[in-house]
Amino acid sequence: MNITVIGTGYVGLVTGACFSKMGNKVYCVDIVEEKIQGLKNNILPIFEPHLGTVVRTSQEKGDLIFTTDIKEALDNTDIIFIAVGTPMAEDGSANLDYIFSAASDIANNITRDSLVVIKSTVPVGTGFKVRDHINAILDERDSDVTIKIASNPEFLKEGHAIEDCLHPDRVVIGAEDEEVFETLKDLYATFVLNHDRFVLMDIKSSEMTKYVANSMLATKISFMNEIANICEVTGADVQSVRLGIGSDRRIGYDFIYAGCGYGGSCFPKDVQALINTAQENGYEPKILSNVELVNKNQKMVLVNKVVDRFGEDLTGLTFAVWGLAFKPGTDDVREATSLVVISELIKRGAKIKAYDSQATEEFTRAIDDECLPSIEFKANRYEALDDADALILITEWKEFRNPDYDLLSEKMNQNVIFDGRNIYDRKIRNRGFELYQIGC
């Protein structure tokens, strides 16, 4: 099939690359000329394992075309995917400016009947608003072009996005008629050869499904962090509790690891957007509101532990920080715990030596400028330990899992570790380390 994907951010780029890998001809459209020129030269704006290989191979085959010319793309397209960002607005709602800008571009340039599919995460009812917006412009143009609308939310995990896209757990499709369902099932047929993973529903339910999925996962994380905090004040061990409940098949082990809070571009934004949607419709979502509150507080847990150990005034102390990204496998630092921890420590007079294999550049753009003079970014994890008074583990990259403890002890001023992801064996306390973890 011939496909246009509008937006070359995380979702659009991964989606377009994977469609092209399956033999479709894909136009990826963006209004940022510099980004498009970079992509043409295989320079990616994000870090995602294996994405660069797929982009390069598909471009070499002529199956993936990057352009700023939306008319060229639409003139050669059967299906149009809108995959632009929907950032959080000041009131917590989803900002749909990019969505309607893309819809306007479609309406002003389309010359043939087409299917418009919203891949972006959008509030319930957005699909119909986009359809009406496009049709209004088509009417102004006296165009006889007919468009159909569908919802096809993404469920990609950063760090595993290519695998998730090529081998999806499910393909959710929201549409109004059987022809649209069949068109999208044909498109995705090569992705689900072994099992029928299609979940078909109405458009509003499809839009809601994405928000509910992310909010459910965020709820599990915040619930387990709440339990970790209760374990800590009662003397229980959250690691043991996790094993005790995870063995129950009704609960399972996924997303019940205690830690120092979730971040990223999806969970915080989508939980808040669903809260906003509920409130706009006269319902107060008490659980969701507290999911967000627990997560906000959880990002301060490491800071509080540092203050309990060293005191409120951290002047003259240096902390090594391992991990800046909100999770391993990505360079994304949006809403990352590292931003909170590092800024709070600097506010109290501390100096920081930080290391992350992928996220340093993004972190320097995201942290307040006034914090940067107090941070040294190091080229490897052990360089960050020189003369550090403690190590703070924030992101559980695999390279941090089994460090050389003798080297840690040699380089650091004090053998103190704050483990924000509970990845270290408590036996290291027998080697003279003070180990502070979450909920145990």
Side-chain angles (χ1 to χ4, degrees):
M1 293 184 180
N2 293 331
I3 299 166
T4 288
V5 178
I6 301 177
T8 59
Y10 189 85
V11 174
L13 185 54
V14 171
T15 300
C18 289
F19 280 148
S20 67
K21 181 177 174 64
M22 291 302 191
N24 301 288
K25 185 169 185 178
V26 179
Y27 288 84
C28 280
V29 181
D30 204 292
I31 60 174
V32 182
E33 179 70 36
E34 183 180 1
K35 182 190 288 189
I36 291 297
Q37 288 304 317
L39 287 165
K40 287 180 177 179
N41 292 308
N42 297 309
I43 301 171
L44 273 58
I46 58 172
F47 170 75
E48 178 63 38
H50 313 299
L51 177 59
T53 301
V54 177
V55 168
R56 183 178 63 254
T57 302
S58 293
Q59 284 202 93
E60 290 172 352
K61 292 179 179 179
D63 292 331
L64 182 59
I65 300 168
F66 294 105
T67 182
T68 56
D69 187 346
I70 192 169
K71 189 175 189 313
E72 174 197 1
L74 297 183
D75 285 346
N76 296 281
T77 288
D78 303 307
I79 305 174
I80 307 163
F81 282 87
I82 297 178
V84 296
T86 54
M88 190 189 304
E90 289 186 6
D91 64 356
S93 63
N95 184 330
L96 299 179
D97 289 351
Y98 298 130
I99 293 287
F100 286 103
S101 178
S104 296
D105 289 341
I106 292 169
N108 285 315
N109 291 280
I110 198 168
T111 58
R112 55 196 288 188
D113 294 350
S114 297
L115 171 60
V116 177
V117 184
I118 300 180
K119 175 69 75 173
S120 304
T121 302
V122 295
V124 175
T126 300
F128 295 124
K129 293 177 182 178
V130 168
R131 179 198 60 190
D132 294 344
H133 182 80
I134 293 174
N135 284 332
I137 295 175
L138 291 174
D139 288 343
E140 291 175 3
R141 292 176 52 202
D142 292 325
S143 172
D144 59 0
V145 168
T146 298
I147 64 113
K148 292 186 176 181
I149 200 82
S151 168
N152 174 222
E154 53 83 19
F155 299 96
L156 306 176
K157 299 187 296 292
E158 292 192 42
H160 301 274
I162 296 297
E163 177 69 17
D164 290 343
C165 194
L166 294 176
H167 306 284
D169 292 331
R170 75 286 206 196
V171 178
V172 173
I173 302 172
E176 295 182 281
D177 62 63
E178 194 63 33
E179 182 181 354
V180 173
F181 284 129
E182 291 304 316
T183 297
L184 290 175
K185 286 173 70 175
D186 287 345
L187 172 62
Y188 279 104
T190 53
F191 293 80
V192 292
L193 288 175
N194 295 330
H195 302 282
D196 183 354
R197 299 183 184 275
F198 294 109
V199 184
L200 310 182
M201 60 186 71
D202 62 276
I203 291 174
K204 286 188 174 183
S205 296
S206 175
E207 293 167 338
M208 178 64 86
T209 296
K210 174 57 189 290
Y211 280 113
V212 173
N214 279 350
S215 296
M216 173 63 78
L217 297 176
T219 298
K220 291 184 72 174
I221 295 171
S222 280
F223 175 81
M224 205 62 196
N225 283 334
E226 184 101 286
I227 296 302
N229 296 334
I230 297 172
C231 285
E232 195 155 316
V233 298
T234 59
D237 182 349
V238 74
Q239 299 282 62
S240 298
V241 172
R242 177 180 63 81
L243 295 173
I245 65 171
S247 55
D248 187 327
R249 286 177 294 178
R250 297 170 301 174
I251 298 173
Y253 291 103
D254 292 340
F255 288 85
I256 61 168
Y257 290 84
C260 51
Y262 62 76
S265 63
C266 294
F267 287 8
K269 172 176 71 71
D270 292 352
V271 169
Q272 190 57 55
L274 188 53
I275 292 171
N276 187 269
T277 295
Q279 291 172 338
E280 285 182 346
N281 286 274
Y283 182 80
E284 189 60 40
K286 295 181 177 61
I287 291 177
L288 287 176
S289 297
N290 282 288
V291 165
E292 186 68 10
L293 179 60
V294 168
N295 188 60
K296 180 180 179 181
N297 292 337
Q298 198 68 17
K299 292 180 180 181
M300 284 294 294
V301 166
L302 285 176
V303 177
N304 294 335
K305 288 179 179 293
V306 170
V307 169
D308 287 345
R309 170 60 176 78
F310 291 100
E312 186 69 31
D313 185 0
L314 302 177
T315 303
L317 296 175
T318 298
F319 295 91
V321 173
W322 280 3
L324 301 172
F326 87 92
K327 61 177 282 188
T330 181
D331 61 352
D332 194 344
V333 301
R334 285 173 288 184
E335 303 292 331
T337 298
S338 61
L339 293 167
V340 175
V341 172
I342 288 176
S343 62
E344 289 291 333
L345 296 183
I346 291 172
K347 187 187 302 181
R348 291 166 173 79
K351 299 292 185 182
I352 304 295
K353 294 182 179 181
Y355 167 75
D356 190 294
S357 62
Q358 300 296 333
T360 298
E361 186 175 344
E362 291 298 322
F363 184 87
T364 58
R365 286 197 283 260
I367 192 78
D368 289 341
D369 289 342
E370 61 192 33
C371 290
L372 287 173
S374 299
I375 307 171
E376 291 182 50
F377 296 99
K378 296 300 183 179
N380 69 65
R381 61 192 186 277
Y382 291 117
E383 282 185 12
L385 299 174
D386 289 332
D387 296 321
D389 294 287
L391 167 63
I392 302 173
L393 183 285
I394 295 179
T395 313
E396 65 275 32
W397 289 95
K398 288 182 179 179
E399 65 177 302
F400 301 149
R401 290 183 176 273
N402 190 28
D404 183 336
Y405 290 109
D406 290 335
L407 188 56
L408 263 67
S409 185
E410 177 184 322
K411 283 179 166 287
M412 295 169 63
N413 292 335
Q414 305 182 58
N415 291 346
V416 181
I417 298 176
F418 296 92
D419 178 7
R421 300 298 176 183
N422 289 357
I423 67 172
Y424 294 130
D425 192 324
R426 276 165 274 176
K427 291 179 182 177
I428 68 170
R429 289 172 176 151
N430 298 329
R431 303 177 62 171
F433 283 87
E434 294 179 45
L435 178 63
Y436 299 89
Q437 295 182 302
I438 309 296
C440 50

